[in-house]
Amino acid sequence: MTDALLLVIAASIIGVCLLATTLATLSTMREFRATLGETRELLARWNAMTRRVEAVVGSACDAASATLEGLSRWKARAEQVFTGRSGNGARAEPRRHGRSTRGGERG
């Protein structure tokens, strides 16, 4: 075989290898692009789901806050009713021991 024939065979092998590498790279890139598209869709769904969860948690916190405020108001009203009806509440004046009472008598 001549040197020219060996160069043609070597160039052909190199060309076939380059073609195979190019085809493999293009195939890999196509799969990668499809995977990125699926990943993008998955991330978009995940984002939407986390926004829904955030809204639900926010609503639950608002409802709990409103409930606690209502309970606090009811507690304050109950305390007012209880202290208003019981004797010697905050409005009653303390008795003064050792001082004169109704008729000027000491008790």
Side-chain angles (χ1 to χ4, degrees):
M1 287 209 255
T2 64
D3 289 339
L5 184 60
L6 286 175
L7 284 176
V8 169
I9 292 173
S12 298
I13 292 172
I14 290 173
V16 169
C17 288
L18 285 174
L19 182 62
T21 303
T22 302
L23 291 176
T25 302
L26 289 175
S27 175
T28 303
M29 292 305 287
R30 186 178 337 124
E31 291 294 323
F32 185 67
R33 185 175 181 189
T35 303
L36 282 178
E38 292 172 7
T39 304
R40 187 178 302 129
E41 290 176 19
L42 180 65
L43 289 175
R45 288 180 189 165
W46 184 266
N47 189 25
M49 184 174 58
T50 55
R51 285 185 182 179
R52 283 187 219 130
V53 168
E54 182 182 8
V56 168
V57 168
S59 296
C61 287
D62 291 342
S65 178
T67 302
L68 289 175
E69 285 178 14
L71 288 174
S72 177
R73 278 190 242 118
W74 277 103
K75 179 184 173 218
R77 287 180 189 162
E79 287 176 348
Q80 286 176 354
V81 167
F82 179 72
T83 57
R85 290 189 182 178
S86 66
N88 267 351
R91 296 182 210 149
E93 292 191 26
R95 293 186 178 184
R96 296 183 178 108
H97 298 288
R99 297 201 178 196
S100 62
T101 56
R102 286 189 211 166
E105 302 171 8
R106 291 189 153 232

